[in-house]
Amino acid sequence: MKVVAFNGSARKDGNTAILIRRVLAVLEKEGIDTELIQLSGKQIHGCTACGTCRKVKNKECKILNDEVNLYISKMAESDGIILGSPTYFSMMSPEMKALIDRVGFVARSNNDMFKQKVGAAVVAVRRAGGIPTFDAINHFFLINQMIIPGSSYWNVGIGLNKGDVEKDEEGIKTMEDLGRNMAWLLKKINLKNLSNKRKRK
Ligand SMILES: Cc1cc2nc3c(=O)[nH]c(=O)nc-3n(C[C@H](O)[C@H](O)[C@H](O)COP(=O)(O)O)c2cc1C
């Protein structure tokens, strides 16, 4: 089993990355492979609304001069997807929004290709706007027919400067509980898939 995580922050290895890594550490401990991709420094254009993905249905975006198609294939081969973002003016970062718009249109044009995968949002915030950001990312998972595990609080960590989220004890616990619940859910879904495969044989 594998979980791929995306950090949508413009700041590499900042608070969002720290929070995501807390979730990934628990997943790894539970025997699940993980990969973290940081969007910082990558040029990701927003969706141009060309509609090609809806016509061609080849699981790709027509824009080829960035890494979005690679990210789509990494999501497709994973059992779980984590989308992490800092809060910028009460919403996700433009990098994460561009990723969601492009990937979302391709996925929905291809028979909801992430259907029944497990999805989780992770958000870093200084003071306010974390919940709208969390909700907006969850809207991506929900419209893609994905399954969202909960945690002991909404998946938000508080901090301004790099590393500040380490001091948010409850935020860190929330990420660790999320990791445990995500691992539990992934294992349940995987068992079910295995037994369905066996029945079909
Ligand atoms: C352009 C910009 C806008 C921001 N807007 C908000 C905001 O609306 N609310 C808030 O609480 N923090 C805001 N912040 C602070 C970040 O959310 C906070 O520093 C977060 O920990 C950054 O995560 P990172 O280290 O992963 O980049 C903003 C930061 C930037 C750079």
Side-chain angles (χ1 to χ4, degrees), residues 9 11 14-17 86-90 124-128 159-160:
S9 177
R11 185 159 67 172
N15 291 323
T16 313
T87 305
Y88 286 175
F89 286 87
S90 202
V125 60
R126 180 187 74 85
R127 176 179 288 271
L160 172 62

Side-chain angles (χ1 to χ4, degrees), residues 1 25 34 37-38 40 43 60 69 72 83 99 102 110-111 117 122 127 129 140 142 147 170 187 190 194-195:
M1 273 184 289
T34 68
I37 295 167
Q38 305 207 51
S40 169
Q43 301 289 328
E60 283 187 5
N69 284 327
I72 292 172
L83 297 181
L99 180 72
R102 301 258 303 277
N110 288 277
N111 198 25
K117 290 185 190 292
V122 166
R127 176 179 288 271
F140 168 84
L142 290 169
I147 319 289
E170 193 175 358
K187 286 177 189 177
N190 218 265
L194 278 177
S195 75

Side-chain angles (χ1 to χ4, degrees), residues 6-12 16 37-47 66-68 71 75 82-89 91-104 133 137 140:
F6 293 84
N7 173 18
S9 177
R11 185 159 67 172
K12 199 175 177 194
T16 313
I37 295 167
Q38 305 207 51
L39 302 183
S40 169
K42 312 259 184 198
Q43 301 289 328
I44 300 182
H45 203 285
C47 175
D66 61 25
E67 294 185 349
V68 167
Y71 303 156
M75 290 185 194
I82 293 174
L83 297 181
S85 178
T87 305
Y88 286 175
F89 286 87
M91 195 30 67
M92 69 184 79
S93 69
E95 288 85 351
M96 182 51 66
K97 186 70 170 76
L99 180 72
I100 279 183
D101 289 351
R102 301 258 303 277
V103 171
T133 306
I137 297 173
F140 168 84

